């Protein structure tokens, strides 16, 4: 059973150009998958299709082998949590507590259990102190943590991050990355992260690259990210480590490792000591 | 003509229980004709600082000198328009402020507002569109029908069309894809090198600071704690770590190699500098 399986998916906003054009891919259970691509390549549209915010043109979306249709949208939305890019656009409640409660109320959780659930998830994202504050007074990183708590309280099996850290400062970014990594490692949650952060992609289990509405690359970061020319032709950028390895190659130094910083450094130090 | 802060303090909501001192005793003179990065943690006062440059905020105490204008608490310069024509300020996520029916009209709004005749405003707008890397076919499109990255470019074109001497940008590349963000930084560099514009950029991206900026202003808790040439700033990594910024990839590599026995003496800034230094040591 795959958490996400997409077959020949098509979508168009204007019935002329396919923003998502015959896309097929699989996200494996418990994996940390990254979805990258240039602005306008169709990444966010995919996220919205996966949670039924947009209706597909044709093709098939399967969540845990269950086809996404109007009829089972509710069941499927319980399985998937999503955090969007802009922390300011996803708050409803007057306080952090209300905001986390909102999703629970929607899912008809017994009010007697609600307080415990809220406290538990607020603690998990390290926001217990802020439960009675207005969300508008929080920093960007704190807002995204509350958004994640609200999503987690619904106990989804799959978490989709749609550039969830791109509006945050470095501190906020690392807070969220650490939290997501913990959810992935400790709870085995399946993560699909739409991102521009090349360093995040390097560490992921699986990478999908979109270009002009199509998935053009699908595989291991260590296979895909190492081709500088190709990354540039896809309107992306190669990791610094890959660019450095190529600059060294032009100077006659050929490395076995060209992606992982630590291994590259070890290899270079060995070369230096051998000279 | 300078852009300088002299003993500037700024308080939000003064004389209320929510009073908050966002800028404390700022003494700062930006180098004209250069690209300066303004960095620091969230809430350190970066955006508050730059909003003083076209008198959107007035200092609570002290003086701000902007070109031939003096801005103080009591002295809001007359004819703010001409100041704002010379100092173009691009806010964070400026694409949220697009409002006209077509992209061309949106870019023309600035020049028209500054009483530039319609025909000339159109020429300026088309030039600005080209500068930000969008072709003529965009002119008649609705700003609602283009991608987020393209909207950002249109918003920046709107400021470029008024041809300011000083361009102030608050996180201009946040949320752009890697190539869009690189193209944007290269545009600012070109405006600086070829058109002599003074550029001030608020950013969190240390790769941009090391690769594109001449100087760096570091803010923390409402104060300027450092103002240096970029090349000097990155010589000491502790300075960068102190304000919880990420080290640029180049420095991460350099530090790890130093720990592993490499001996680099020369300062380095670009990827090619590092590759050259590594190659010299290995082949020595």
């Amino acid at each position: 059973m795959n958490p996400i399986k997409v077959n020949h998916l098509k979508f168009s906003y204007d019935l002329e150009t396919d923003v998502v054009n015959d896309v097929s891919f699989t996200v494996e259970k418990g994996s940390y998958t990254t979805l990258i691509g240039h602005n306008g390549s169709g990444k966010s549209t995919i996220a919205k299709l996966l949670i039924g915010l947009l209706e597909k043109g044709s093709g098939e979306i399967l969540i845990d082998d269950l086809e996404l249709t109007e009829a089972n949208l509710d069941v499927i939305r319980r399985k998937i949590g999503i955090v969007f890019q802009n922390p300011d656009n996803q708050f409803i409640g007057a306080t952090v507590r209300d905001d986390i409660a909102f999703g629970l109320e929607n899912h008809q959780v017994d009010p007697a259990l609600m307080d415990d659930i809220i406290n538990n998830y607020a603690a998990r994202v390290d926001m217990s102190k802020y439960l009675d504050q207005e969300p508008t007074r929080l920093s960007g990183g704190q807002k995204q943590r509350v958004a994640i708590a609200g999503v987690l309280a619904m106990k989804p099996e799959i978490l989709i991050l749609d550039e969830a850290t791109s509006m945050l400062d470095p501190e906020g970014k690392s807070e969220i990355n650490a939290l997501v990594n913990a959810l992935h490692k400790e709870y085995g949650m399946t993560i699909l992260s739409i991102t521009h952060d090349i360093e995040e992609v390097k560490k992921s289990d699986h990478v999908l690259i979109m270009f002009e509405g199509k998935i053009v690359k699908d595989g291991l970061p260590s296979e895909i990210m190492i081709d500088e020319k190709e990354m540039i032709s896809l309107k992306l950028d190669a990791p610094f480590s890959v660019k450095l390895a190529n600059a060294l190659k032009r100077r006659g130094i050929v490395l076995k490792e060209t992606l992982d910083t630590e291994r590259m450094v070890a290899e270079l130090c060995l070369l230096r000591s051998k000279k | 003509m300078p852009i300088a802060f002299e003993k500037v303090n700024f308080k939000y909501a003064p004389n209320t229980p929510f009073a908050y001192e966002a800028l404390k005793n700022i003494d700062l003179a930006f180098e004209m004709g250069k690209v300066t990065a303004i960095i620091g943690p969230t809430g350190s006062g970066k955006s508050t600082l730059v909003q003083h440059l076209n008198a959107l905020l007035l200092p609570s105490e002290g003086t701000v000198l902007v070109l031939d204008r003096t801005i103080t608490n009591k002295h809001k310069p007359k004819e703010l328009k001409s100041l704002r024509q010379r100092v173009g300020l691009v806010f964070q996520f400026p694409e949220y402020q697009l409002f006209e029916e077509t992209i061309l009209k949106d870019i023309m709004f600035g020049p028209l507002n500054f009483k530039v005749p319609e025909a000339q405003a159109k020429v300026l707008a088309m030039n600005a569109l080209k500068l930000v890397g969008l072709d003529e076919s965009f002119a008649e499109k609705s700003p609602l029908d283009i991608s987020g990255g393209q909207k950002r470019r249109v918003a920046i074109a709107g400021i470029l069309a008024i041809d300011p001497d000083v361009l102030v940008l608050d996180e201009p590349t946040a949320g752009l894809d890697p190539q869009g963000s690189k193209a944007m930084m290269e545009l600012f560099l070109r405006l600086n090198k070829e058109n002599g514009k003074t550029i001030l950029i608020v950013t969190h991206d240390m790769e941009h600071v090391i690769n594109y900026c001449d100087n760096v202003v570091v803010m923390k808790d409402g104060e300027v704690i450092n103002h240096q040439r970029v090349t000097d700033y990155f010589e000491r990594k502790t300075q960068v770590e102190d304000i919880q910024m990420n080290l640029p990839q180049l420095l991460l590599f350099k530090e790890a190699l130093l720990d592993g026995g490499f001996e680099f003496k020369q300062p380095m800034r670009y990827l090619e500098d590092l590759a050259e230094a590594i190659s010299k040591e290995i082949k020595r």
Side-chain angles (χ1 to χ4, degrees):
Chain A
M1 201 162 67
N2 290 307
I4 302 175
K5 191 161 171 55
V6 170
N7 294 319
H8 304 292
L9 187 65
K10 280 197 177 197
F11 176 82
S12 170
Y13 285 100
D14 59 4
L15 304 174
E16 278 173 31
T17 30
D18 286 320
V19 184
V20 173
N21 188 358
D22 196 12
V23 162
S24 301
F25 66 90
T26 302
V27 172
E28 289 186 23
K29 194 161 180 60
S31 73
Y32 193 126
T33 300
T34 43
L35 173 59
I36 61 174
H38 61 86
N39 285 124
S41 60
K43 309 177 298 283
S44 292
T45 306
I46 298 250
K48 291 184 185 125
L49 288 164
L50 288 177
I51 57 161
L53 272 184
L54 290 174
E55 203 177 329
K56 69 186 178 196
S58 61
E60 189 178 47
I61 297 169
L62 300 166
I63 305 295
D64 275 349
D65 289 350
L66 185 65
E67 186 169 1
L68 179 92
T69 59
E70 190 79 37
N72 55 27
L73 195 57
D74 276 356
V75 185
I76 280 178
R77 284 208 183 139
R78 275 165 210 241
K79 292 174 181 283
I80 307 186
I82 186 163
V83 181
F84 292 102
Q85 178 182 39
N86 190 332
D88 294 318
N89 290 351
Q90 36 197 337
F91 286 102
I92 300 141
T95 63
V96 169
R97 186 187 303 279
D98 288 352
D99 208 82
I100 301 176
F102 179 78
L104 297 171
E105 285 165 0
N106 255 351
H107 285 195
Q108 284 109 41
V109 172
D110 181 355
L113 300 174
M114 235 182 247
D115 261 355
D116 277 353
I117 298 178
I118 293 171
N119 291 337
N120 175 18
Y121 287 98
R124 198 171 285 181
V125 300
D126 201 13
M127 288 296 290
S128 302
K129 274 192 290 183
Y130 301 91
L131 275 171
D132 295 311
Q133 287 220 17
E134 286 172 63
T136 47
R137 292 189 161 242
L138 305 175
S139 75
Q142 290 171 330
K143 284 177 187 167
Q144 289 298 62
R145 273 170 19 208
V146 173
I148 291 177
V151 162
L152 292 181
M154 257 85 80
K155 296 196 189 145
E157 292 147 47
I158 307 160
L159 179 62
I160 300 178
L161 304 162
D162 187 1
E163 294 187 43
T165 64
S166 71
M167 286 174 82
L168 304 181
D169 65 2
E171 208 185 337
K173 213 169 257 191
S174 55
E175 280 171 20
I176 297 302
N177 286 341
L179 174 61
V180 171
N181 280 328
L183 292 170
H184 172 58
K185 290 213 175 77
E186 291 164 33
Y187 306 97
M189 191 178 273
T190 305
I191 312 277
L192 175 62
S193 174
I194 297 172
T195 182
H196 287 310
D197 183 350
I198 300 272
E199 294 304 309
E200 182 185 350
V201 178
K202 270 169 73 172
K203 290 181 203 133
S204 66
D205 301 318
H206 192 110
V207 58
L208 302 163
I209 302 187
M210 280 198 85
F211 182 73
E212 294 178 355
K214 288 178 182 297
I215 299 261
V216 292
K217 290 275 155 190
D218 180 340
L220 298 174
S222 57
E223 291 164 1
I224 290 173
M225 307 296 289
I226 53 173
D227 190 339
E228 182 176 353
K229 277 203 187 114
E230 181 149 73
M231 293 299 286
I232 286 171
S233 75
L234 296 174
K235 297 204 216 164
L236 296 166
D237 198 9
F240 183 89
S241 51
V242 172
K243 290 193 272 190
L244 180 64
N246 285 338
L248 288 169
K249 200 170 164 190
R250 289 194 289 276
R251 289 168 173 83
I253 300 169
V254 180
L255 299 176
K256 283 194 210 84
E257 175 64 47
T258 60
L259 191 67
D260 184 89
T261 307
E262 267 175 51
R263 275 189 248 154
M264 270 174 77
V265 166
E267 210 179 326
L268 283 166
C269 291
L270 198 67
L271 277 176
R272 179 179 176 275
S273 64
K274 269 197 208 151
K275 70 169 185 248
Chain B
M1 278 187 289
I3 295 187
F5 288 72
E6 291 173 357
K7 299 205 184 340
V8 169
N9 288 311
F10 180 78
K11 254 188 204 152
Y12 282 105
N15 309 319
T16 74
F18 304 106
Y20 170 67
E21 205 171 19
L23 295 180
K24 296 170 199 164
N25 205 21
I26 305 279
D27 275 309
L28 174 68
F30 289 104
E31 192 174 359
M32 301 307 286
K34 297 283 179 191
V35 183
T36 300
I38 303 167
I39 63 173
T42 301
S44 58
K46 307 182 297 289
S47 297
T48 306
L49 184 87
V50 297
Q51 285 177 47
H52 279 74
L53 295 175
N54 67 3
L56 276 178
L57 295 176
L58 297 180
S60 305
E61 288 169 79
T63 309
V64 182
L65 302 168
V66 184
L67 306 174
D68 56 352
R69 307 302 186 90
T70 304
I71 303 168
T72 66
N73 195 325
K74 296 194 177 59
H75 189 87
K76 189 167 180 168
K78 282 174 194 142
E79 291 175 52
L80 271 179
K81 259 193 178 173
S82 70
L83 173 67
R84 287 177 186 166
Q85 194 165 10
R86 296 181 63 192
V87 181
L89 182 55
V90 180
F91 289 100
Q92 280 179 52
F93 300 96
E95 58 272 25
Y96 293 154
Q97 298 164 35
L98 301 177
F99 66 97
E100 286 278 11
E101 289 159 45
T102 68
I103 287 171
L104 180 64
K105 279 188 187 170
D106 215 293
I107 303 177
M108 281 170 70
F109 179 83
L112 289 177
N113 195 29
F114 291 120
K115 308 279 183 266
V116 173
E118 178 123 8
Q120 200 192 334
K122 193 171 170 184
V123 174
L124 289 171
M126 291 306 282
N127 282 342
L129 194 61
K130 203 169 140 196
L131 266 180
V132 297
L134 297 175
D135 65 50
E136 290 174 5
S137 73
F138 280 89
E140 294 306 322
K141 283 188 187 171
S142 159
L144 301 177
D145 287 344
I146 55 177
S147 76
Q150 290 165 341
K151 283 182 193 167
R152 177 80 52 88
R153 291 177 195 217
V154 169
I156 290 177
I159 297 291
L160 294 180
I162 62 175
D163 195 28
D165 302 324
V166 180
L167 198 54
V168 186
L169 304 132
D170 199 347
E171 296 196 52
T173 64
L176 293 187
D177 63 27
Q179 273 186 30
S181 131
K182 189 173 170 214
M184 198 65 88
M185 292 308 293
E186 282 170 356
L187 166 67
F188 302 143
L189 204 59
R190 216 164 58 234
L191 288 168
N192 168 255
K193 296 274 176 294
E194 292 170 16
N195 306 46
K197 312 255 182 230
T198 299
I199 313 246
L200 310 178
I201 303 178
V202 175
T203 182
H204 287 303
D205 191 326
M206 297 301 257
E207 303 297 337
H208 289 167
V209 178
I210 195 169
N211 281 308
Y212 300 104
C213 299
D214 300 303
N215 300 322
V216 59
V217 167
V218 186
M219 297 195 67
K220 193 181 180 186
D221 299 331
E223 292 179 81
V224 170
I225 58 166
N226 211 334
H227 184 189
Q228 277 187 297
R229 293 210 180 284
V230 162
T231 39
D232 296 334
Y233 181 65
F234 287 114
E235 275 304 290
R236 284 174 46 213
K237 68 165 180 164
T238 48
Q239 297 195 130
V240 184
E241 288 164 344
D242 278 353
I243 55 159
Q244 292 163 319
M245 299 290 278
N246 297 324
L247 278 178
Q249 289 289 322
L250 178 130
L251 287 193
L252 285 176
F253 260 95
K254 182 183 155 188
E255 294 293 331
L257 289 166
L258 283 171
D259 289 345
F262 274 76
E263 290 161 25
F264 301 130
K265 302 238 159 46
Q266 63 279 51
M268 51 183 83
R269 180 167 179 191
Y270 302 110
L271 181 131
E272 292 294 332
D273 303 338
L274 177 62
E276 193 57 36
I278 293 174
S279 146
K280 263 189 196 146
E281 275 232 11
I282 287 180
K283 292 178 184 164
R284 193 175 58 184

